[in-house]
Amino acid sequence: MPHAASSEVAAAVADAHRREWGFVLAATVRVAGDIDAAEEAVQDAYASALATWGVNGIPRNPGAWLTVTARRRALDMRRRVATLRRALPKLLEPEEYGDDAPDADDIPDDRLRLIFTCCHPALALEAQVALTLRLLCGLSTADVARAFLVPEATMAARITRAKKKIAAAGIPYRVPPVSELHERVNGVLSVVYLVYTTGHTSPSGSDLMRRDLAERGLELARTLRVLLPADPDVAGLLALVLLTDARRDARMDKHDEQVLLEDQDRSKWDRRAIAEGVGLLREALVSRPPGRFALMAAIAAVHDESGSWSDTDWQEILVLYDLLMERWPSPVVQLNRAIALGFAVGYAEGLAELDALGAEPQLARYPYLAAARADFLARLGHPEEARVAFQEALILTGNEAERRSLRARLGQLVE
């Protein structure tokens, strides 16, 4: 396909960035020996694609083309800095695993190696998650910052420090032996969960979902299940992803507008995924006390097994959120608990809890707090206050599909 149109090439490169970034970078790190060098090589490969594909045509396998180009670029860079080789992190040094080495067949691609590198216990947990979202998924620093509810400058500094620590500590690029796996699992599970949730509802852009990220999160959760089949937290994570993803086809209507959970056509929910998720949940709940992913999966299961919105057992959901607050206290869990309280006990009680969270710094720019307040105010018959809260949510929301939904709900308010 010679001389491909520039718009077609740009679209193909953008699609390859969404779908292939993690594969390309993870494969390039192996030869670059340095994360920053690998990132530079991959960025060069994408820039080269814009120019080359317009002349030679879009390749049949863009990911493979980008990987080869990036790896060649990384090798060229290494040759030019050969005199500095001793200063490189030990990403290329062979590792001695011992008798408990994971079978190579269990590692489907280099992405898990990159995740485990970024999730080394020498790094703080938030740094592990942020770095992997940035490197593995190619999310912008701004999008990662939104996921963590922190300013972009703070996140940029955090990611830079994490990469420098990997280099300084010589953290190896490998999946650790079985004896070390469990100390890394918490960080890896958090990474995979945020990969999925960032795809489930994109922090910015025109589409509600980034299906490539959601699917990648599901794939990684399944791969971890292969690696650690007896780990209840892994079972809980995969259950949570399956039970959440089961509703995917009902989240948008035929006009590509968002459909809230309350209004979804439950016949479109994937019953096979729900059954698989519930089975995994039973395994995860064997652990005492149950882990946070198991508790979140249990909440998702209550929704998935309810025949309608009105049949939802909000009392059970409230109890599960109380348990989750004990296991994993956070402002976002408090927010969701307040919403559950509103439906279990009364809208006024839920609104009071939401109002109290207004002083929480981490939620100051969190759009779902304002949206939840607006919903309860509207249900309580306070349209003017609801209008102000909806407008606040609109200001804070970066996803255009969610913005359209908020504008529609704002327009439905009755004086």
Side-chain angles (χ1 to χ4, degrees):
M1 185 172 50
H3 304 291
S6 60
S7 60
E8 184 180 356
V9 169
V13 172
D15 184 64
H17 187 278
R18 287 192 300 271
R19 295 180 180 277
E20 309 289 354
W21 176 273
F23 290 99
V24 178
L25 180 64
T28 304
V29 169
R30 182 190 287 273
V31 299
D34 176 81
I35 288 175
D36 283 330
E39 275 199 286
E40 182 178 343
V42 173
Q43 288 165 356
D44 286 351
Y46 276 92
S48 178
L50 284 170
T52 305
W53 294 0
V55 176
N56 298 332
I58 298 167
R60 293 180 62 183
N61 189 333
W65 188 98
L66 288 160
T67 299
V68 170
T69 303
R71 287 165 68 98
R72 286 175 178 167
R73 170 65 175 153
L75 287 171
D76 288 342
M77 293 165 64
R78 285 193 63 212
R79 292 188 187 104
R80 287 200 299 269
V81 296
T83 57
L84 299 177
R85 180 169 183 145
R86 291 182 181 179
L88 292 174
K90 298 178 181 177
L91 296 177
L92 296 176
E93 295 299 321
E95 295 294 329
E96 296 296 331
Y97 284 107
D99 293 335
D100 59 353
D103 191 322
D105 292 339
D106 288 341
I107 314 302
D109 58 58
D110 283 324
R111 291 174 301 166
L112 275 180
R113 298 182 189 276
L114 184 55
I115 287 181
F116 276 103
T117 299
C118 295
C119 294
H120 194 279
L123 302 175
L125 179 57
E126 286 193 346
Q128 295 174 22
V129 179
L131 183 60
T132 309
L133 284 174
R134 175 72 186 92
L135 296 180
L136 186 81
C137 302
L139 296 188
S140 69
T141 302
D143 278 351
V144 180
R146 288 190 190 99
F148 278 88
L149 311 178
V150 299
E152 182 176 351
T154 300
M155 183 53 64
R158 186 178 295 171
I159 290 172
T160 298
R161 286 195 301 270
K163 289 196 288 187
K164 286 181 177 178
K165 191 161 189 177
I166 286 176
I171 292 172
Y173 175 60
R174 63 174 175 87
V175 175
V178 173
S179 61
E180 297 177 18
L181 273 176
H182 290 278
E183 70 183 32
R184 307 264 196 106
V185 166
N186 189 42
V188 173
L189 293 178
S190 296
V191 167
V192 174
Y193 178 59
L194 270 176
V195 169
Y196 176 77
T197 56
T198 303
H200 179 264
T201 304
S202 179
S204 61
S206 58
D207 297 328
L208 179 65
M209 298 183 65
R210 281 191 57 180
R211 288 185 180 270
D212 56 323
L213 283 186
E215 290 167 1
R216 191 169 299 170
L218 178 55
E219 290 169 7
L220 290 169
R222 287 195 181 280
T223 302
L224 287 173
R225 173 73 171 170
V226 171
L227 277 173
L228 298 168
D231 191 305
D233 290 328
V234 173
L237 172 67
L238 182 53
L240 173 59
V241 172
L242 285 166
L243 291 165
T244 305
D245 204 59
R247 309 180 206 128
R248 179 171 58 181
D249 290 343
R251 296 182 67 214
M252 303 291 288
D253 65 17
K254 62 182 179 181
H255 304 294
D256 288 332
E257 299 298 335
Q258 182 183 16
V259 181
L260 300 178
L261 181 61
E262 181 175 1
D263 302 317
Q264 287 178 13
D265 178 356
R266 300 184 179 217
S267 68
K268 294 182 178 179
W269 290 1
D270 185 341
R271 294 296 160 186
R272 181 176 297 179
I274 292 172
E276 183 182 359
V278 169
L280 287 162
L281 175 60
R282 292 193 184 101
E283 289 186 40
L285 290 174
V286 170
S287 176
R288 288 291 183 270
R292 63 184 175 107
F293 292 113
L295 291 170
M296 288 191 284
I299 293 167
V302 175
H303 285 296
D304 286 3
E305 295 186 317
S306 299
S308 65
W309 177 261
S310 60
D311 290 337
T312 304
D313 189 341
W314 288 103
Q315 292 289 348
E316 182 178 356
I317 290 176
L318 183 59
V319 169
L320 288 167
Y321 271 120
D322 285 336
L323 292 172
L324 185 57
M325 277 298 298
E326 294 176 9
R327 187 74 175 81
W328 189 48
S330 77
V332 174
V333 175
Q334 283 183 290
L335 168 61
N336 286 307
R337 183 196 176 279
I339 294 171
L341 178 70
F343 287 109
V345 178
Y347 301 141
E349 288 80 0
L351 180 61
E353 292 283 330
L354 292 173
D355 287 342
L357 290 172
E360 175 58 56
Q362 280 189 277
L363 298 179
R365 298 190 57 79
Y366 195 54
Y368 301 114
L369 172 58
R373 289 190 67 255
D375 181 63
F376 280 162
L377 285 164
R379 292 175 189 271
L380 287 166
H382 303 303
E384 285 304 318
E385 293 175 76
R387 184 171 288 108
V388 172
F390 272 128
Q391 289 168 342
E392 180 185 354
L394 274 167
I395 292 170
L396 297 175
T397 299
N399 182 289
E400 186 53 41
E402 290 189 307
R403 288 177 59 82
R404 291 196 303 271
S405 176
L406 288 168
R407 282 193 289 265
R409 294 165 70 190
L410 180 58
Q412 292 169 359
L413 288 176
V414 178
E415 297 293 342

